[in-house]
Amino acid sequence: MGPNDELAEELRASARKALDDRMPTTVLRQVIDTEDGIDRSLYALAADLGWLGLTLPESVGGSGGSWHELAVVLEEIGRALAPLPMIASVVVAAGAVMLAGDDEQQQRLIPGIADGSAIATGALFGASGRPDEPLAARVERRDGSLVLSGVSGFVPDAHVSSWMVVAATDGAVPTLVVVDSSAPGVRIERLDTTDVTRRLAHVHFDDVVIPSANVLAGADAQHVIDELVRRAGVAIALDSVGGLERVVEITVAYVGEREQFGRKVGSFQAVKHHCANLLVFSETARVAGRAAADAIDGARWVEWAAIAKSYSGDTYTEATRIAVQCFGGVGFTWEYDIHFYMKRARLSQQLFGSPTYHRQLLTRELRGRTAD
C-alpha cells in the first residue's frame, strides 16, 4: 500500500464515521421530508473536513488533492445515501469555472464552493436532460446586453444553488454562462422523482441579463461540456460503488436472519447465488470506478469514464432489483432501507447520460484509436 492509498483509507475511515454519526437512515428519513431535502449542517461539516475542496487548487481555497481522494468521499456518500449537493457543486459547477473561467472568475466564484458558503450547479442540457439532445437555452444580444432565454432540464440541486453554470447556444455555437439563481427571470420548477434522496428541477430563463463578466470564454464550450459529462458520470459511478457495497451488506445480513420453512433464507442455494452475484457486481464496479478516478486527464481517461458510468449504471440497477427480491415483499415497503438504494440506482443510471449513451462514446473512442 502506497502513501496515497494510506491517505485514502484514513480519509475513508473519517468520512464513514462522520456519515454514520450524522446521517444514519433514521436521520435521512427526516431530512428528505424537509423543504430543501439536504442537511446543511452536514454540508458545513463536509466543508470543515475539506471534502469540498479536495480537488480544487490551493489558490482558490482548495487543498490541491486528486480524484483518488475524492473517489473515497463520493463512495462513502453513496453508501450512506447522503443528500449532499457535492457532485453538482464541486464536480460540475466548480469544474466548469476551473476549465473555462479566467483567473478573476475563479477567484470570485470558487472559494465559496470550497468553504461551503455557496452551493452551485450546472444546467448543461436541454429540456430532456439528455446530453445527446439539443440545448434549449439560448443567448442573444439586445441593445448591447447578453440575454438568456429558454430552459434547462433535470438540473440537480438547482433549488439550493446560489449560482449555476448554464450551457446555451449563441447562434449555432455552444457557450457557457454563470447565472445568479435568484436573478430576475430565473424560475426553478422542482420535479417529483422516485429518488427522494436527491432533488432535480427544470430551470426556466425569461430574458435573463448576463453580465459580460459571467461569460466563461476561456475554453471551447462544447469540449468543456463533454468533459463535465465525463467527470459527473464518474462521480455518479463512484457514488454507485458505495451504494452497491451497502446493498451487499444489508442484503446478506437480512437473508442471514430471516427464516422461512424452518431455515434461514440465506441457506437456500438460489439465494446464495443471488448474494454471490451482488458481490461480483460490487467489486467489479469498484474496479471500474477507481480506475476511472485514477485515469482523469490521462491517455485512457475518456475510455475509463465511459466504462465506469455505463457499467455502474447497469450493475447498481440490477443489484438493487436482486436485493429487493431477496427481501421479498417487504423490500418494497417504506420501513426497510433497500428501496432507497433501488430508487437512487435508477436515477443514477440516467443522470449525465444513460449506459447506452456512454457505451456509444466508448465505441467511438475505441474506433478512433484503432483508426489512428
Side-chain angles (χ1 to χ4, degrees):
M1 180 180 290
N4 287 344
D5 292 322
E6 292 177 2
L7 176 62
E9 289 311 307
E10 290 176 4
L11 180 60
R12 182 184 304 282
S14 171
R16 183 166 298 187
K17 184 178 187 307
L19 291 166
D20 284 348
D21 290 346
R22 299 290 293 272
M23 191 50 62
T25 53
T26 52
V27 175
L28 173 68
R29 290 167 182 269
Q30 298 171 10
V31 172
I32 60 179
D33 282 337
T34 63
E35 179 71 14
D36 288 345
I38 67 169
D39 187 333
R40 291 185 181 272
S41 65
L42 180 59
Y43 199 65
L45 177 62
D48 291 341
L49 292 173
W51 298 355
L52 307 185
L54 270 173
T55 58
L56 298 174
E58 294 180 10
S59 60
V60 291
S63 57
S66 72
W67 270 69
H68 190 76
E69 291 81 38
L70 180 61
V72 169
V73 173
L74 292 172
E75 286 179 14
E76 293 303 313
I77 288 173
R79 186 180 191 277
L81 299 171
L84 297 175
M86 268 192 66
I87 294 177
S89 193
V90 175
V91 177
V92 180
V97 176
M98 294 308 303
L99 288 169
D102 58 29
D103 185 66
E104 184 279 328
Q105 291 166 332
Q106 293 171 4
Q107 293 295 331
R108 171 163 52 94
L109 296 169
I110 301 303
I113 300 298
D115 66 20
S117 60
I119 296 173
T121 188
L124 302 182
F125 310 123
S128 69
R130 294 177 52 174
D132 55 350
E133 294 195 355
L135 296 172
R138 62 192 179 279
V139 293
E140 56 185 350
R141 286 159 182 80
R142 299 181 195 167
D143 301 324
S145 297
L146 195 64
V147 178
L148 173 67
S149 303
V151 62
S152 294
F154 297 93
V155 181
D157 302 306
H159 67 297
V160 293
S161 66
S162 305
W163 54 270
M164 61 185 72
V165 175
V166 180
T169 54
D170 184 356
V173 180
T175 190
L176 292 168
V177 295
V178 175
V179 178
D180 187 326
S181 300
S182 60
V186 176
R187 179 169 64 87
I188 297 173
E189 175 193 355
R190 301 192 189 195
L191 302 176
D192 291 326
T193 63
T194 56
D195 178 13
V196 293
T197 67
R198 291 179 292 196
R199 304 290 175 90
L200 301 176
H202 291 331
V203 183
H204 302 266
F205 308 102
D206 184 12
D207 294 341
V208 180
V209 177
I210 307 297
S212 59
N214 281 8
V215 178
L216 302 179
D220 176 75
Q222 188 59 59
H223 173 78
V224 173
I225 293 168
D226 292 342
E227 177 64 11
L228 293 173
V229 169
R230 285 189 286 269
R231 293 187 183 191
V234 170
I236 289 171
L238 293 163
D239 180 281
S240 300
V241 166
L244 275 163
E245 179 184 58
R246 187 60 181 150
V247 166
V248 174
E249 292 175 358
I250 61 179
T251 304
V252 170
Y254 179 79
V255 300
E257 296 173 356
R258 177 80 166 93
E259 290 190 4
Q260 191 68 38
F261 307 112
R263 295 172 57 185
K264 302 290 186 184
V265 172
S267 68
F268 291 102
Q269 188 175 44
V271 177
K272 291 180 181 179
H273 288 168
H274 281 325
C275 291
N277 286 334
L278 293 181
L279 183 61
V280 170
F281 287 150
S282 176
E283 292 303 309
T284 50
R286 186 188 311 280
V287 169
R290 292 184 181 177
D294 289 340
I296 189 168
D297 298 329
R300 299 184 65 187
W301 159 238
V302 175
E303 176 185 340
W304 274 114
I307 291 171
K309 178 59 167 71
S310 59
Y311 187 73
S312 69
D314 284 341
T315 53
Y316 197 12
T317 301
E318 178 63 8
T320 53
R321 185 194 68 80
I322 292 172
V324 168
Q325 292 295 319
C326 289
F327 271 75
V330 297
F332 289 96
T333 63
W334 189 256
E335 287 74 15
Y336 287 80
D337 295 337
I338 190 64
H339 71 93
F340 289 126
Y341 291 91
M342 179 181 69
K343 294 168 183 175
R344 192 172 177 105
R346 277 152 178 74
L347 181 56
S348 292
Q349 187 181 41
Q350 300 302 321
L351 276 179
F352 293 96
S354 67
T356 298
Y357 170 79
H358 284 277
R359 281 193 289 268
Q360 290 171 343
L361 293 182
L362 175 61
T363 300
R364 287 199 292 270
E365 175 70 11
L366 295 178
R367 282 178 176 171
R369 186 179 304 164
T370 302
D372 293 340

